[in-house]
Amino acid sequence: MPSPRLTPARRRAALFAAFFVTGLSMATWVTRTPDIRDATGASTGQMGLIIAGLSAGSMVGIALGGPLVARRGARFVVLTGMVGIVAGSVGVAIGAALGSGVIVALGLAAFGYGMGSGEIGQNVEGVDVEQAMGRSVVPSLHGCYSLGIFVGALLGLGANALGVPVLLHLLGVAAITAAAAIWLLTNLESDTGKETAGPTAELTSPFPRTSVWREPRTIAIAIVILGMALAEGSANDWLPLIVVDGFALSATVGALLYAGFGGAMAIGRFSGGFLLDRFGRTPVLLSSAVLAAVGIAVVSFAPHAVIGAVGVLLWGLGASL
């Protein structure tokens, strides 16, 4: 039974905080990638291998997140995800301080696991709160993640401009995330999404053997998710480096353009409920995909940074929904 003191509004506020600090942590890593690349002495190819740690950890987290929610509840997965993000941020900070690409990659793997699994728990909680409140909640939750990206990118801009060491910057944000995790412990239900043993037990497998995987719609949705995950993930992994290496600008400007990306995503997501209700999911999805593709193309082929900045905004708006 839900706790009487944990009202849907209170749970929603907790989820706002969870999504926000997740975005804040992501932006902190992203805006310092040029400095981390320089600290480790990595080439572009080597940096790709380091960043692959983030993707590998995310895939593991996504695969295990659903079964863990079913067995332990969404709050457990959210909190362990936060632990992964904090531990990963600390690992990246130490790796940068030591100039070790291997330690940075391992830190990113823990970070990616925390994000991949934690966001599954956050979304399960979000859907439950949405049902309890009887109105759209999930788009605004994702808007809080993008708002965290925006704020984190502005903080990264300031850190780059002031020459704040990567170690201090990442450890500071890790402390904020840890504090948020402690607060979440008492503001989320303990058993949301938890399943009891019985006929539905096969759902605890990350790849259940049911007819849903033979549905053309499922395959279509999977392709859409892959494409849009690549659209957002590419910006998270490479946008500041594109600005520094592609347009020969400073890491501070790279952080500024990444802030624009996060701000554009926040605008798209906070307006998402209205757009989805007004125009429907399919038109919004198609329009978003086209907008993201145009934005990525503009950034890829822009002759100078001003046009590239316009592409960044289109990229963010398109990837937002």
Side-chain angles (χ1 to χ4, degrees):
M1 292 291 292
S3 172
R5 73 181 175 82
L6 290 182
T7 63
R10 184 166 179 171
R11 294 169 62 200
R12 181 183 62 178
L15 289 171
F16 281 161
F19 275 93
F20 179 83
V21 296
T22 301
L24 182 71
S25 299
M26 172 59 80
T28 302
W29 142 251
V30 172
T31 56
R32 301 313 299 263
T33 49
D35 289 328
I36 293 171
R37 187 267 308 274
D38 293 343
T40 58
S43 66
T44 301
Q46 291 169 334
M47 198 64 187
L49 292 174
I50 291 172
I51 292 173
L54 181 66
S55 300
S58 296
M59 288 189 293
V60 174
I62 290 169
L64 296 180
L68 284 173
V69 167
R71 293 174 185 174
R72 300 294 300 272
R75 185 179 71 174
F76 173 84
V77 176
V78 172
L79 292 174
T80 54
M82 289 288 177
V83 170
I85 291 173
V86 170
S89 297
V90 172
V92 171
I94 293 173
L98 296 177
S100 171
V102 173
I103 295 177
V104 171
L106 292 174
L108 285 176
F111 188 99
Y113 174 84
M115 287 206 53
S117 62
E119 288 193 1
I120 289 177
Q122 291 170 26
N123 279 289
V124 170
E125 285 278 1
V127 170
D128 191 70
V129 170
E130 188 172 74
Q131 292 172 346
M133 300 188 76
R135 59 189 177 89
S136 176
V137 170
V138 173
S140 62
L141 294 178
H142 286 263
C144 284
Y145 170 81
S146 297
L147 183 62
I149 291 284
F150 178 70
V151 173
L154 291 181
L155 291 176
L157 184 156
N160 281 313
L162 296 173
V164 176
V166 172
L167 179 67
L168 293 180
H169 186 189
L170 266 67
L171 290 181
V173 173
I176 294 173
T177 305
I182 294 171
W183 185 68
L184 290 173
L185 186 62
T186 58
N187 287 278
L188 292 176
E189 295 288 355
S190 61
D191 57 355
T192 304
K194 190 174 182 179
E195 296 178 359
T196 57
T200 59
E202 70 165 335
L203 294 178
T204 61
S205 167
F207 304 105
R209 295 182 179 179
T210 66
S211 60
V212 69
W213 296 105
R214 294 192 290 272
E215 279 275 355
R217 289 175 297 177
T218 303
I219 304 302
I221 291 171
I223 293 171
V224 169
I225 290 172
L226 174 63
M228 299 312 288
L230 285 171
E232 182 178 351
S234 297
N236 289 334
D237 289 342
W238 293 105
L239 191 51
L241 288 174
I242 289 173
V243 174
V244 172
D245 294 348
F247 295 115
L249 297 173
S250 68
T252 301
V253 178
L256 178 62
L257 287 186
Y258 185 64
F261 176 82
M265 289 194 71
I267 291 170
R269 285 173 168 172
F270 280 124
S271 62
F274 169 79
L275 294 174
L276 291 170
D277 293 340
R278 176 66 177 82
F279 299 105
R281 287 171 172 79
T282 301
V284 170
L285 175 61
L286 292 174
S287 300
S288 297
V290 170
L291 202 60
V294 170
I296 292 170
V298 170
V299 172
S300 299
F301 297 105
H304 52 78
V306 174
I307 296 176
V310 174
V312 168
L313 296 178
L314 295 176
W315 188 351
L317 283 172
S320 65
L321 292 177

